[in-house]
Amino acid sequence: MNQNTLEFAKEMDAKDPLKSFREKFFFPNFHDNEVVYFTGNSLGLQPKSTIIYIQEELEAWAKYGVEGHFLAKKPWFGYHEQLTEKAAAIVGAKPEEVVIMNSLTTNLHLMMVSFYRPLGNRTKIICEAKAFPSDQYALESQVKFHGLNVETDIIEVCPREGEHLIRDEDILSKIAEVGDELAMVMIGGVNYYTGQLFDMKSITEAGHAVGATVGFDLAHAAGNINLKLHDWDVDFAAWCGYKYLNSSPGGVSGVFVHERHADNSDLPRFAGWWGYDKETRFQMEPGFKPMHGAEGWQLSNAPVLGMAAHLASLDIFTEAGMDRVGEKRDQLTAYLESIIEDISERHSDRTTLEIITPKDKSKRGAQLSILAHGQGKALFDALTNSGVIADWREPNVIRIAPAPLYNSYEDCFRFGQHLENAIQ
Ligand SMILES: *Cc1c(COP(=O)(O)O)cnc(C)c1O
């Protein structure tokens, strides 16, 4: 049966248990029509409820001034605590292992201060080739900060000759090979370019087996992948709130620190007053006494407006549940993939659309990265001009991500129609 039809897409939408969630988001318009928005992996759409959450805090500020720290309905003093359990459920963590604070790259640095501790011959970091640029800069500057050598102390695992993806087995064997010279593994759980999901459980095991710490940047995984950070025994992780988590441009970030590190006050860290034991924080004593768990890594009091936006979105995720989000993610992504394959086959005289993202659903999330042989940027521009918001990455990749919370099967069908027009 041909599934690349409006009827089929509409039928799937009618059966979708999450279909009502689309109504909770604002869609940008293009010539008076809703765009096909496939960039939730870059900036998630705005929940209609966000303004209510932010308004509540603006009103509390107007009404109480500084007293809002205690008198606001959600007191600002502990505002971040309202987010913890909901965020922990999304990443598969215990609440004490998670805190929402700062922004992503800042948090990666804070985590590496504690978990990248080169000593003697154990100085090396393993990461994936083509890591997101901010992660590359963060890793390089950490290595230099310790007076070490970027050329020899950062080891990138690359795809094999002629392949686009990095084999998990190659990461595992590199970890074993570097062995007791390995200080830390830090990898993007889902690669931003290819959409490949790495085997975080096995990578963590392998890293620990040689005595290294293991952390993940989950910018493209949080709110997308069904994560089990606690069970996988990951040492640390950080993610941003504004991609799949829809929590406002540049919005607040999350951090995971495994519970086995919760009370290790010997771990070096860059400290601030908000990481200080809550009960005695305002005695303002000299000497740092960290809070139990991830909260002990906080620096500053919560940026409440950004946190409010995050809470609005976390409440939507809590209602939907990551299990349902994950089920729809796999079906929706597979449907979009089938449409692209159908179009690529029928127009093979003009172009080949090669999806470089893994076909296996256990190796990817909601993103598909398309290599457009023979067309490239012109094809992307034509899509943009017809009302598709997708993402272009040099030299030749179109990234699209159907976000299961608000994208529909009909969006996938409409994308296909625009793609076909653009090819012709
Ligand atoms: C989006 C993204 C970032 C962005 O970092 P910010 O500090 O939030 O600007 C960093 N790393 C990865 C892997 C990303 O995907």
Side-chain angles (χ1 to χ4, degrees):
M1 176 192 159
N2 181 11
Q3 302 189 343
N4 189 1
T5 66
L6 185 59
E7 292 69 40
F8 181 83
K10 285 192 158 168
E11 228 171 84
M12 291 300 287
D13 281 328
K15 285 191 287 196
D16 171 11
L18 294 181
K19 63 172 177 280
S20 64
F21 282 78
R22 184 182 178 88
E23 301 304 319
K24 296 182 191 289
F25 292 86
F26 288 115
F27 275 75
N29 267 349
F30 180 80
H31 297 323
D32 296 331
N33 289 314
E34 271 179 9
V35 295
V36 175
Y37 194 83
F38 277 168
T39 37
N41 57 343
S42 191
L43 179 65
L45 289 179
Q46 182 185 148
K48 290 176 182 166
S49 57
T50 304
I51 193 166
I52 298 166
Y53 285 67
I54 292 180
Q55 192 94 37
E56 183 181 325
E57 302 317 323
L58 289 175
E59 279 166 14
W61 183 21
K63 190 166 166 195
Y64 301 120
V66 70
E67 307 281 11
H69 279 102
F70 299 98
L71 298 183
K73 204 164 117 212
K74 304 185 180 100
W76 306 331
F77 178 74
Y79 196 94
H80 69 277
E81 293 167 9
Q82 318 228 20
L83 292 78
T84 304
E85 248 175 69
K86 292 163 185 170
I90 290 176
V91 298
K94 297 186 176 182
E96 68 194 279
E97 295 174 317
V98 167
V99 67
I100 304 299
M101 60 181 189
N102 309 320
S103 51
L104 172 55
T105 308
T106 309
N107 284 337
L108 289 175
H109 277 299
L110 292 178
M111 290 294 101
M112 286 195 275
V113 163
S114 295
F115 295 104
Y116 176 53
R117 302 171 64 193
L119 189 68
N121 279 340
R122 195 183 279 283
T123 57
K124 294 189 170 28
I125 297 174
I126 285 182
C127 65
E128 80 278 35
K130 278 208 186 167
F132 192 87
S134 197
D135 299 35
Q136 294 179 31
Y137 309 144
L139 290 173
E140 285 173 16
S141 58
Q142 285 284 334
V143 166
K144 287 185 188 161
F145 178 74
H146 287 284
L148 297 167
N149 184 336
V150 169
E151 301 298 318
T152 52
D153 286 313
I154 298 182
I155 299 171
E156 292 186 354
V157 184
C158 303
R160 293 186 189 180
E161 182 86 22
E163 298 183 6
H164 296 294
L165 304 171
I166 299 169
R167 299 191 190 197
D168 284 310
E169 64 195 87
D170 289 352
I171 298 176
L172 301 182
S173 62
K174 184 56 82 178
I175 290 172
E177 181 193 320
V178 179
D180 59 12
E181 293 185 4
L182 185 62
M184 179 183 75
V185 179
M186 224 280 285
I187 287 182
V190 172
N191 182 267
Y192 82 100
Y193 187 77
T194 60
Q196 177 180 10
L197 166 61
F198 292 107
D199 183 349
M200 290 183 249
K201 181 168 185 273
S202 304
I203 292 171
T204 305
E205 268 169 25
H208 288 169
V210 299
T213 57
V214 181
F216 294 98
D217 180 335
L218 300 177
H220 282 265
N224 177 26
I225 303 299
N226 303 84
L227 299 163
K228 293 200 166 73
L229 296 182
H230 175 83
D231 291 349
W232 295 341
D233 215 24
V234 170
D235 290 291
F236 70 91
W239 56 94
C240 51
Y242 53 82
K243 290 175 180 166
Y244 291 96
L245 291 176
N246 317 315
S247 297
S248 83
V252 286
S253 159
V255 153
F256 167 89
V257 178
H258 198 279
E259 74 175 343
R260 71 177 163 280
H261 305 298
D263 288 312
N264 184 354
S265 55
D266 293 338
L267 273 182
R269 64 183 93 189
F270 286 169
W273 73 323
W274 230 251
Y276 193 95
D277 175 39
K278 188 164 81 169
E279 305 310 323
T280 52
R281 186 180 297 154
F282 285 91
Q283 294 170 11
M284 310 273 194
E285 298 277 353
F288 183 72
K289 192 171 152 203
M291 288 188 70
H292 171 76
E295 289 190 312
W297 272 265
Q298 292 174 103
L299 299 181
S300 302
N301 72 100
V304 168
L305 300 184
M307 294 275 186
H310 196 27
L311 185 56
S313 173
L314 290 178
D315 280 343
I316 296 175
F317 268 91
T318 305
E319 191 187 336
M322 273 312 291
D323 289 345
R324 289 200 296 172
V325 169
E327 274 168 35
K328 181 171 171 192
R329 170 201 64 219
D330 289 342
Q331 290 177 18
L332 195 64
T333 310
Y335 180 58
L336 182 59
E337 181 181 45
S338 75
I339 286 176
I340 295 165
E341 284 170 354
D342 173 52
I343 292 169
S344 183
E345 264 167 41
R346 284 190 287 104
H347 298 280
S348 56
D349 52 327
R350 287 171 191 265
T351 186
T352 308
L353 304 171
E354 181 190 357
I355 298 174
I356 60 175
T357 306
K359 201 154 177 57
D360 177 354
K361 67 179 174 5
S362 71
K363 299 257 125 228
R364 71 183 184 195
Q367 175 180 325
L368 295 175
S369 300
I370 309 168
L371 249 180
H373 297 280
Q375 293 229 2
K377 191 72 179 14
L379 180 65
F380 177 77
D381 290 341
L383 281 172
T384 307
N385 290 330
S386 64
V388 173
I389 304 191
D391 176 271
W392 172 259
R393 291 288 146 145
E394 295 294 341
N396 201 11
V397 165
I398 298 171
R399 298 186 311 160
I400 48 177
L405 267 185
Y406 52 74
N407 281 123
S408 62
Y409 293 86
E410 189 176 334
D411 284 337
C412 299
F413 171 77
R414 284 168 63 207
F415 173 83
Q417 297 292 296
H418 290 309
L419 180 64
E420 202 156 357
N421 289 338
I423 290 171
Q424 288 162 352

